């Protein structure tokens, strides 16, 4: 690679960052780090009508939570700043003018009413109106009148746009790192608007000018931008600039069907599609953070949406991803979003946390539930975490450590026979006599007592578990007994005898 690697994530702040946008940011981040390059963020807010004020902060907060913050952006190493297009507004006009002067662009004065009329006319003839080489010579453009007239109309404050003059009858042979060779017929393209008389460039012009000025080496972005690639390459050519390399990432598809995963799917299908929660007048959509996902798990499942390292490996740390990432291993086909698999990733990352970390997180949960306890939370967590996907599930898996069962599982209660109360009384007495009240010791002594008195294991163990837990679930019974202690064990046995 000759040029230093400089890649960018260039979101438009029109709402919360969708998980697909996060994946684009991640792949840019991984590529930059892999090649010792720079990952920067540029805010593309030229379309002021779609601008949402909170969206910009949201983008930075989300990437920070995920641990993939940019090396350069607004307020950080502003080597090529400003990094917000609205703050670069004054820069673009000269480039639009340059294209006019070199004949690569022209002024168009057509009113929106006129264009609507042409669209409707085409529609009634079963056609689609395209503003291109077939009409540009006949419409109200600078291609048909003298320079003086154009200048005086502009001086008079007439509204205009500047359009790209797409070449006719040319096949563009382009290359995409993921898709390979892609060809485009220029005659089929429309003459896109590059600049408007309100002084604002459109996405296309601003994007190309900035990618050039900010020395972008690779453009890694979603597949929905592939149709813009020919225009972008032609713009580089028109300016006489070297184009960056392109890589268009596959779409992220809905869990069922073949549609593209949309911002609304999360609320509709009941899983997050945003990294962080997002609130509007209509309500709040939960993010992965609020749903209890570890950022590392989110990074991991996003990395596998369209990429793999060629092996069966599924769990990758961020550092490992950086080491193994390769744009050539990204596939073209859409990647199905699987919310169940995402939970599995979180499960794996939960198991990786130390008990101390999980205990801290669980304590915060207990606090919100108003539970105060003298139990060793780290121990509780170590006993039940194996079955948890989320920290929020730890309570349901361990509530019996903190509280005596309020009810007993009906099916399990069928094991409570006529002789059970008497047996349980005896068990309670045996336990009462145990000095060293530790799991292993309790187990040895209770089992010794059962053997000596020829009492079957099942007769004791199941009713005992039912008394302590309220159901036939949970970890090793003697670990539970040690945890809750002698007095609590006895009191729960007594309660069960009374209730069952
Ligand atoms: N502003 C565009 C977006 O919202 C950026 C597309 C590109 O990366 O060129 O996705």
């Amino acid at each position: 690679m000759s040029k230093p690697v400089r890649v960018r994530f260039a979101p438009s702040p029109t709402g919360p960052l969708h998980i697909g946008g996060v994946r684009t940011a991640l792949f840019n981040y991984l590529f930059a780090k892999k090649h010792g390059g720079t990952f920067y963020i540029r805010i593309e807010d030229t379309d002021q009508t779609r601008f949402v004020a909170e969206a910009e902060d949201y983008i930075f907060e989300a990437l920070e939570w995920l641990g993939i913050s940019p090396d350069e952006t607004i307020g950080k190493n502003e080597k090529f700043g400003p990094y917000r297009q609205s703050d670069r507004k004054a820069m673009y006009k000269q480039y639009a003018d340059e294209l006019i002067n070199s004949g690569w662009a022209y002024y168009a004065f057509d009113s929106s009413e006129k264009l609507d009329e042409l669209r409707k006319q085409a529609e009634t003839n079963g056609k689609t109106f395209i503003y291109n080489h077939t009409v540009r010579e006949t419409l109200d453009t600078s291609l048909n009148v003298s320079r003086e007239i154009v200048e005086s109309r502009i001086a008079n404050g007439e509204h205009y746009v500047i359009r790209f003059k797409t070449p006719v009858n040319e096949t563009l042979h382009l290359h995409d790192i993921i898709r390979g060779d892609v060809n485009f017929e220029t005659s089929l393209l429309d003459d896109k608007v590059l600049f408007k008389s309100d002084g604002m460039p459109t996405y296309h012009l601003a994007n190309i000018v900035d990618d050039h000025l900010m020395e972008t080496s690779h453009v890694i972005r979603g597949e929905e931008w592939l149709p813009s690639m020919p225009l972008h390459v032609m713009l580089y050519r028109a300016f006489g600039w070297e184009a960056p390399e392109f890589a268009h990432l596959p779409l992220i598809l809905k869990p069922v069907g073949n549609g593209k995963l949309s911002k609304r799917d999360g609320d509709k299908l009941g899983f997050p599609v945003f990294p962080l929660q997002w609130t509007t007048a209509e309500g709040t959509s939960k993010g992965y953070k609020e749903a209890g996902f570890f950022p590392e798990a989110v990074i991991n499942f996003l990395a596998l949406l369209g990429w793999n390292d060629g092996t069966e490996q599924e769990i990758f740390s961020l550092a490992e991803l950086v080491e193994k990432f390769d744009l050539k291993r990204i596939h073209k086909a859409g990647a199905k979003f699987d919310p169940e698999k995402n939970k599995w990733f979180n499960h794996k990352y939960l198991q990786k946390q130390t008990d101390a970390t999980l205990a801290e997180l669980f304590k915060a949960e207990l606090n919100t539930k108003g539970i105060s306890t003298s139990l060793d939370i780290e121990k509780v967590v170590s006993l039940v975490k194996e079955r948890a996907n989320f920290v929020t599930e730890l309570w349901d898996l361990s509530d019996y450590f903190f509280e005596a069962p309020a009810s007993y599982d009906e099916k399990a209660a069928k094991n409570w026979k006529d002789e059970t109360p008497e047996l349980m009384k005896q068990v309670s007495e045996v336990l009462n006599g145990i000095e060293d009240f530790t799991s292993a010791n309790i187990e040895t002594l209770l089992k010794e007592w059962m053997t000596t008195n020829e009492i079957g294991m099942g007769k004791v163990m199941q009713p005992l578990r039912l008394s302590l837990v309220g159901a036939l679930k949970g970890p090793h019974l003697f670990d539970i007994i040690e945890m809750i202690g002698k007095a609590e064990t006895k009191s729960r046995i007594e309660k069960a005898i009374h209730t069952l």
Side-chain angles (χ1 to χ4, degrees), residues 26-70:
L26 172 63
F27 283 12
N28 274 284
Y29 174 95
L30 295 177
F31 185 73
K33 300 295 149 185
K34 161 108 191 189
H35 296 286
T38 303
F39 168 54
Y40 74 88
I41 291 190
R42 180 174 73 227
I43 297 292
E44 300 207 326
D45 58 347
T46 52
D47 187 352
Q48 293 286 318
T49 56
R50 294 175 61 222
F51 182 74
V52 175
E54 300 76 24
E56 190 180 295
D57 285 345
Y58 180 96
I59 291 163
F60 291 111
E61 279 162 26
L63 298 187
E64 192 178 324
W65 176 64
L66 290 164
I68 54 169
S69 288

Short mmCIF file of all heavy atoms in Angstrom, two decimals, residues 26-70:
data_model
loop_
_atom_site.label_atom_id
_atom_site.label_comp_id
_atom_site.label_asym_id
_atom_site.label_seq_id
_atom_site.Cartn_x
_atom_site.Cartn_y
_atom_site.Cartn_z
N LEU A 26 -16.95 0.39 12.60
CA LEU A 26 -16.06 -0.66 13.11
C LEU A 26 -15.10 -1.16 12.02
O LEU A 26 -13.90 -1.27 12.26
CB LEU A 26 -16.90 -1.84 13.64
CG LEU A 26 -16.11 -3.09 14.03
CD1 LEU A 26 -15.16 -2.80 15.19
CD2 LEU A 26 -17.05 -4.24 14.40
N PHE A 27 -15.62 -1.42 10.83
CA PHE A 27 -14.76 -1.95 9.77
C PHE A 27 -13.71 -0.91 9.36
O PHE A 27 -12.56 -1.25 9.06
CB PHE A 27 -15.59 -2.41 8.56
CG PHE A 27 -16.28 -3.75 8.79
CD1 PHE A 27 -16.35 -4.31 10.05
CD2 PHE A 27 -16.85 -4.46 7.74
CE1 PHE A 27 -16.97 -5.54 10.28
CE2 PHE A 27 -17.47 -5.70 7.95
CZ PHE A 27 -17.53 -6.23 9.22
N ASN A 28 -14.09 0.35 9.38
CA ASN A 28 -13.11 1.40 9.10
C ASN A 28 -12.05 1.43 10.19
O ASN A 28 -10.85 1.53 9.92
CB ASN A 28 -13.79 2.77 8.99
CG ASN A 28 -14.32 3.04 7.58
OD1 ASN A 28 -13.56 3.34 6.67
ND2 ASN A 28 -15.62 2.88 7.40
N TYR A 29 -12.51 1.33 11.44
CA TYR A 29 -11.59 1.33 12.58
C TYR A 29 -10.60 0.17 12.46
O TYR A 29 -9.38 0.35 12.59
CB TYR A 29 -12.41 1.23 13.88
CG TYR A 29 -11.58 1.08 15.13
CD1 TYR A 29 -11.23 2.19 15.90
CD2 TYR A 29 -11.15 -0.18 15.56
CE1 TYR A 29 -10.48 2.05 17.05
CE2 TYR A 29 -10.39 -0.32 16.70
CZ TYR A 29 -10.06 0.79 17.45
OH TYR A 29 -9.30 0.64 18.58
N LEU A 30 -11.14 -1.03 12.22
CA LEU A 30 -10.29 -2.23 12.15
C LEU A 30 -9.26 -2.10 11.03
O LEU A 30 -8.09 -2.43 11.21
CB LEU A 30 -11.15 -3.48 11.92
CG LEU A 30 -12.12 -3.86 13.05
CD1 LEU A 30 -12.96 -5.07 12.65
CD2 LEU A 30 -11.39 -4.14 14.36
N PHE A 31 -9.72 -1.61 9.90
CA PHE A 31 -8.82 -1.47 8.75
C PHE A 31 -7.69 -0.49 9.06
O PHE A 31 -6.52 -0.74 8.78
CB PHE A 31 -9.63 -1.02 7.52
CG PHE A 31 -8.81 -0.97 6.27
CD1 PHE A 31 -8.42 -2.14 5.63
CD2 PHE A 31 -8.42 0.24 5.72
CE1 PHE A 31 -7.66 -2.10 4.47
CE2 PHE A 31 -7.67 0.29 4.56
CZ PHE A 31 -7.29 -0.89 3.93
N ALA A 32 -8.07 0.65 9.66
CA ALA A 32 -7.06 1.65 10.01
C ALA A 32 -6.03 1.08 10.98
O ALA A 32 -4.82 1.20 10.77
CB ALA A 32 -7.73 2.89 10.62
N LYS A 33 -6.53 0.43 12.04
CA LYS A 33 -5.60 -0.08 13.07
C LYS A 33 -4.71 -1.19 12.51
O LYS A 33 -3.54 -1.28 12.83
CB LYS A 33 -6.38 -0.59 14.28
CG LYS A 33 -7.23 0.46 14.96
CD LYS A 33 -6.39 1.57 15.56
CE LYS A 33 -7.16 2.87 15.53
NZ LYS A 33 -6.42 4.03 15.97
N LYS A 34 -5.31 -2.03 11.70
CA LYS A 34 -4.56 -3.14 11.11
C LYS A 34 -3.36 -2.61 10.31
O LYS A 34 -2.28 -3.19 10.32
CB LYS A 34 -5.49 -3.94 10.19
CG LYS A 34 -4.81 -4.80 9.19
CD LYS A 34 -4.95 -6.24 9.55
CE LYS A 34 -4.05 -7.08 8.68
NZ LYS A 34 -4.32 -8.48 8.85
N HIS A 35 -3.57 -1.49 9.61
CA HIS A 35 -2.51 -0.98 8.75
C HIS A 35 -1.76 0.20 9.36
O HIS A 35 -1.10 0.96 8.65
CB HIS A 35 -3.09 -0.59 7.38
CG HIS A 35 -3.64 -1.77 6.66
ND1 HIS A 35 -2.84 -2.73 6.07
CD2 HIS A 35 -4.92 -2.19 6.46
CE1 HIS A 35 -3.60 -3.68 5.54
NE2 HIS A 35 -4.86 -3.37 5.76
N GLY A 36 -1.91 0.37 10.67
CA GLY A 36 -1.20 1.46 11.34
C GLY A 36 -1.62 2.81 10.82
O GLY A 36 -0.84 3.76 10.79
N GLY A 37 -2.85 2.90 10.35
CA GLY A 37 -3.32 4.16 9.75
C GLY A 37 -4.19 4.98 10.70
O GLY A 37 -4.14 4.81 11.91
N THR A 38 -4.97 5.87 10.10
CA THR A 38 -5.78 6.80 10.87
C THR A 38 -7.26 6.58 10.58
O THR A 38 -7.64 6.40 9.43
CB THR A 38 -5.41 8.26 10.47
OG1 THR A 38 -4.02 8.42 10.69
CG2 THR A 38 -6.20 9.28 11.28
N PHE A 39 -8.04 6.60 11.64
CA PHE A 39 -9.50 6.49 11.51
C PHE A 39 -10.06 7.84 11.93
O PHE A 39 -9.84 8.28 13.05
CB PHE A 39 -9.98 5.37 12.43
CG PHE A 39 -11.48 5.32 12.63
CD1 PHE A 39 -12.34 5.27 11.55
CD2 PHE A 39 -12.02 5.31 13.92
CE1 PHE A 39 -13.73 5.21 11.73
CE2 PHE A 39 -13.40 5.25 14.11
CZ PHE A 39 -14.26 5.21 13.03
N TYR A 40 -10.74 8.51 11.02
CA TYR A 40 -11.31 9.80 11.41
C TYR A 40 -12.81 9.85 11.18
O TYR A 40 -13.36 9.04 10.42
CB TYR A 40 -10.59 10.96 10.72
CG TYR A 40 -10.89 11.17 9.25
CD1 TYR A 40 -11.96 11.97 8.85
CD2 TYR A 40 -10.08 10.63 8.26
CE1 TYR A 40 -12.22 12.21 7.51
CE2 TYR A 40 -10.34 10.85 6.91
CZ TYR A 40 -11.42 11.64 6.54
OH TYR A 40 -11.69 11.87 5.22
N ILE A 41 -13.47 10.75 11.87
CA ILE A 41 -14.91 10.93 11.68
C ILE A 41 -15.19 12.31 11.14
O ILE A 41 -14.68 13.33 11.65
CB ILE A 41 -15.69 10.70 12.99
CG1 ILE A 41 -15.61 9.23 13.36
CG2 ILE A 41 -17.16 11.14 12.84
CD1 ILE A 41 -16.49 8.81 14.48
N ARG A 42 -15.98 12.33 10.07
CA ARG A 42 -16.40 13.59 9.48
C ARG A 42 -17.93 13.61 9.53
O ARG A 42 -18.58 12.64 9.15
CB ARG A 42 -15.92 13.63 8.03
CG ARG A 42 -16.30 14.90 7.31
CD ARG A 42 -15.69 14.93 5.92
NE ARG A 42 -16.33 14.01 5.02
CZ ARG A 42 -15.69 13.16 4.21
NH1 ARG A 42 -14.37 13.10 4.23
NH2 ARG A 42 -16.35 12.36 3.41
N ILE A 43 -18.47 14.68 10.03
CA ILE A 43 -19.93 14.79 10.12
C ILE A 43 -20.46 15.42 8.83
O ILE A 43 -20.08 16.54 8.48
CB ILE A 43 -20.33 15.64 11.36
CG1 ILE A 43 -19.86 14.95 12.65
CG2 ILE A 43 -21.82 15.91 11.39
CD1 ILE A 43 -20.57 13.66 13.00
N GLU A 44 -21.32 14.68 8.14
CA GLU A 44 -21.84 15.15 6.85
C GLU A 44 -23.25 15.71 7.04
O GLU A 44 -24.24 15.00 6.94
CB GLU A 44 -21.81 14.01 5.84
CG GLU A 44 -20.38 13.50 5.63
CD GLU A 44 -20.13 12.87 4.28
OE1 GLU A 44 -21.04 12.23 3.73
OE2 GLU A 44 -19.01 13.04 3.76
N ASP A 45 -23.28 17.00 7.34
CA ASP A 45 -24.57 17.63 7.67
C ASP A 45 -24.96 18.70 6.64
O ASP A 45 -25.49 19.74 6.99
CB ASP A 45 -24.50 18.24 9.08
CG ASP A 45 -23.38 19.27 9.21
OD1 ASP A 45 -22.52 19.33 8.30
OD2 ASP A 45 -23.36 20.01 10.20
N THR A 46 -24.69 18.41 5.38
CA THR A 46 -25.03 19.42 4.36
C THR A 46 -26.54 19.50 4.13
O THR A 46 -27.03 20.52 3.69
CB THR A 46 -24.35 19.11 3.01
OG1 THR A 46 -24.64 17.76 2.67
CG2 THR A 46 -22.86 19.33 3.08
N ASP A 47 -27.24 18.41 4.42
CA ASP A 47 -28.69 18.45 4.23
C ASP A 47 -29.33 18.94 5.53
O ASP A 47 -29.71 18.16 6.40
CB ASP A 47 -29.21 17.05 3.87
CG ASP A 47 -30.68 17.09 3.51
OD1 ASP A 47 -31.31 18.16 3.69
OD2 ASP A 47 -31.21 16.06 3.04
N GLN A 48 -29.44 20.26 5.63
CA GLN A 48 -29.90 20.87 6.89
C GLN A 48 -31.36 20.53 7.20
O GLN A 48 -31.78 20.60 8.34
CB GLN A 48 -29.70 22.39 6.85
CG GLN A 48 -28.23 22.80 6.82
CD GLN A 48 -27.54 22.62 8.17
OE1 GLN A 48 -28.11 22.93 9.21
NE2 GLN A 48 -26.31 22.11 8.16
N THR A 49 -32.12 20.13 6.18
CA THR A 49 -33.54 19.83 6.43
C THR A 49 -33.69 18.55 7.24
O THR A 49 -34.70 18.33 7.89
CB THR A 49 -34.32 19.65 5.11
OG1 THR A 49 -33.67 18.63 4.35
CG2 THR A 49 -34.36 20.94 4.31
N ARG A 50 -32.69 17.67 7.16
CA ARG A 50 -32.80 16.38 7.85
C ARG A 50 -31.96 16.35 9.13
O ARG A 50 -31.81 15.31 9.77
CB ARG A 50 -32.37 15.25 6.91
CG ARG A 50 -33.31 15.10 5.73
CD ARG A 50 -32.80 14.07 4.75
NE ARG A 50 -32.67 12.75 5.36
CZ ARG A 50 -31.64 11.95 5.17
NH1 ARG A 50 -30.65 12.32 4.41
NH2 ARG A 50 -31.60 10.76 5.74
N PHE A 51 -31.41 17.50 9.50
CA PHE A 51 -30.50 17.58 10.63
C PHE A 51 -31.21 17.37 11.98
O PHE A 51 -32.26 17.92 12.23
CB PHE A 51 -29.84 18.96 10.59
CG PHE A 51 -28.84 19.18 11.67
CD1 PHE A 51 -27.60 18.56 11.59
CD2 PHE A 51 -29.12 20.00 12.74
CE1 PHE A 51 -26.66 18.76 12.59
CE2 PHE A 51 -28.19 20.20 13.74
CZ PHE A 51 -26.96 19.58 13.66
N VAL A 52 -30.65 16.53 12.83
CA VAL A 52 -31.20 16.31 14.17
C VAL A 52 -30.10 16.64 15.18
O VAL A 52 -29.04 16.02 15.18
CB VAL A 52 -31.66 14.84 14.35
CG1 VAL A 52 -32.11 14.58 15.78
CG2 VAL A 52 -32.76 14.50 13.36
N ALA A 53 -30.38 17.64 16.02
CA ALA A 53 -29.32 18.21 16.86
C ALA A 53 -28.61 17.18 17.76
O ALA A 53 -27.40 17.19 17.87
CB ALA A 53 -29.91 19.34 17.71
N GLU A 54 -29.35 16.26 18.37
CA GLU A 54 -28.73 15.34 19.35
C GLU A 54 -27.91 14.24 18.67
O GLU A 54 -27.16 13.54 19.33
CB GLU A 54 -29.79 14.66 20.23
CG GLU A 54 -30.66 15.59 21.05
CD GLU A 54 -31.73 16.28 20.23
OE1 GLU A 54 -32.12 15.74 19.17
OE2 GLU A 54 -32.14 17.40 20.62
N ALA A 55 -28.12 14.10 17.38
CA ALA A 55 -27.54 12.93 16.71
C ALA A 55 -26.01 12.93 16.72
O ALA A 55 -25.38 11.88 16.84
CB ALA A 55 -28.05 12.84 15.28
N GLU A 56 -25.42 14.11 16.62
CA GLU A 56 -23.96 14.17 16.55
C GLU A 56 -23.32 13.66 17.85
O GLU A 56 -22.44 12.79 17.80
CB GLU A 56 -23.53 15.60 16.26
CG GLU A 56 -22.07 15.72 15.92
CD GLU A 56 -21.67 17.16 15.65
OE1 GLU A 56 -22.14 17.75 14.66
OE2 GLU A 56 -20.87 17.70 16.45
N ASP A 57 -23.78 14.16 18.98
CA ASP A 57 -23.23 13.70 20.26
C ASP A 57 -23.44 12.20 20.42
O ASP A 57 -22.59 11.47 20.93
CB ASP A 57 -23.93 14.40 21.44
CG ASP A 57 -23.45 15.83 21.57
OD1 ASP A 57 -22.42 16.16 20.95
OD2 ASP A 57 -24.12 16.62 22.27
N TYR A 58 -24.62 11.77 19.99
CA TYR A 58 -24.97 10.35 20.10
C TYR A 58 -23.93 9.47 19.39
O TYR A 58 -23.50 8.45 19.93
CB TYR A 58 -26.36 10.13 19.50
CG TYR A 58 -26.86 8.71 19.55
CD1 TYR A 58 -27.70 8.28 20.57
CD2 TYR A 58 -26.49 7.79 18.57
CE1 TYR A 58 -28.15 6.98 20.62
CE2 TYR A 58 -26.94 6.48 18.61
CZ TYR A 58 -27.77 6.08 19.63
OH TYR A 58 -28.21 4.78 19.67
N ILE A 59 -23.54 9.90 18.20
CA ILE A 59 -22.57 9.12 17.40
C ILE A 59 -21.26 8.95 18.18
O ILE A 59 -20.73 7.85 18.31
CB ILE A 59 -22.31 9.81 16.05
CG1 ILE A 59 -23.56 9.72 15.18
CG2 ILE A 59 -21.09 9.23 15.35
CD1 ILE A 59 -23.60 10.68 14.00
N PHE A 60 -20.78 10.05 18.75
CA PHE A 60 -19.51 9.98 19.48
C PHE A 60 -19.63 9.16 20.76
O PHE A 60 -18.74 8.38 21.11
CB PHE A 60 -18.98 11.38 19.76
CG PHE A 60 -18.53 12.09 18.51
CD1 PHE A 60 -19.23 13.17 18.01
CD2 PHE A 60 -17.41 11.63 17.82
CE1 PHE A 60 -18.82 13.80 16.84
CE2 PHE A 60 -17.00 12.25 16.64
CZ PHE A 60 -17.71 13.34 16.15
N GLU A 61 -20.76 9.33 21.45
CA GLU A 61 -20.96 8.56 22.70
C GLU A 61 -21.03 7.07 22.40
O GLU A 61 -20.48 6.24 23.13
CB GLU A 61 -22.25 9.00 23.39
CG GLU A 61 -22.07 10.27 24.20
CD GLU A 61 -23.40 10.95 24.52
OE1 GLU A 61 -24.44 10.25 24.57
OE2 GLU A 61 -23.41 12.18 24.68
N ALA A 62 -21.73 6.74 21.33
CA ALA A 62 -21.90 5.32 20.99
C ALA A 62 -20.55 4.68 20.68
O ALA A 62 -20.22 3.60 21.18
CB ALA A 62 -22.84 5.17 19.80
N LEU A 63 -19.74 5.38 19.88
CA LEU A 63 -18.45 4.78 19.49
C LEU A 63 -17.50 4.73 20.69
O LEU A 63 -16.70 3.81 20.82
CB LEU A 63 -17.82 5.55 18.33
CG LEU A 63 -18.66 5.52 17.04
CD1 LEU A 63 -17.88 6.15 15.89
CD2 LEU A 63 -19.10 4.11 16.65
N GLU A 64 -17.64 5.69 21.57
CA GLU A 64 -16.80 5.66 22.77
C GLU A 64 -17.19 4.47 23.66
O GLU A 64 -16.32 3.76 24.17
CB GLU A 64 -16.97 6.97 23.54
CG GLU A 64 -15.92 7.10 24.61
CD GLU A 64 -16.02 8.41 25.36
OE1 GLU A 64 -16.34 9.43 24.73
OE2 GLU A 64 -15.78 8.37 26.58
N TRP A 65 -18.48 4.26 23.81
CA TRP A 65 -18.94 3.10 24.61
C TRP A 65 -18.38 1.80 24.03
O TRP A 65 -17.97 0.90 24.75
CB TRP A 65 -20.48 3.07 24.64
CG TRP A 65 -21.01 1.87 25.36
CD1 TRP A 65 -20.83 1.56 26.68
CD2 TRP A 65 -21.77 0.78 24.80
NE1 TRP A 65 -21.44 0.37 26.97
CE2 TRP A 65 -22.02 -0.13 25.84
CE3 TRP A 65 -22.26 0.51 23.52
CZ2 TRP A 65 -22.74 -1.31 25.65
CZ3 TRP A 65 -22.98 -0.66 23.33
CH2 TRP A 65 -23.22 -1.56 24.38
N LEU A 66 -18.32 1.73 22.71
CA LEU A 66 -17.85 0.51 22.05
C LEU A 66 -16.32 0.42 22.00
O LEU A 66 -15.77 -0.59 21.61
CB LEU A 66 -18.41 0.44 20.63
CG LEU A 66 -19.91 0.18 20.58
CD1 LEU A 66 -20.48 0.52 19.21
CD2 LEU A 66 -20.21 -1.28 20.93
N GLY A 67 -15.65 1.50 22.38
CA GLY A 67 -14.19 1.47 22.38
C GLY A 67 -13.56 1.64 21.01
O GLY A 67 -12.45 1.17 20.77
N ILE A 68 -14.29 2.30 20.09
CA ILE A 68 -13.72 2.51 18.75
C ILE A 68 -13.78 4.00 18.37
O ILE A 68 -14.22 4.36 17.29
CB ILE A 68 -14.40 1.63 17.68
CG1 ILE A 68 -15.93 1.81 17.69
CG2 ILE A 68 -14.07 0.16 17.90
CD1 ILE A 68 -16.62 1.16 16.48
N SER A 69 -13.32 4.82 19.29
CA SER A 69 -13.33 6.26 19.04
C SER A 69 -12.31 6.61 17.95
O SER A 69 -11.31 5.92 17.77
CB SER A 69 -12.99 7.02 20.32
OG SER A 69 -14.09 6.94 21.19
N PRO A 70 -12.59 7.71 17.22
CA PRO A 70 -11.69 8.09 16.12
C PRO A 70 -10.38 8.71 16.61
O PRO A 70 -10.29 9.21 17.73
CB PRO A 70 -12.51 9.14 15.38
CG PRO A 70 -13.42 9.72 16.41
CD PRO A 70 -13.74 8.60 17.35
#
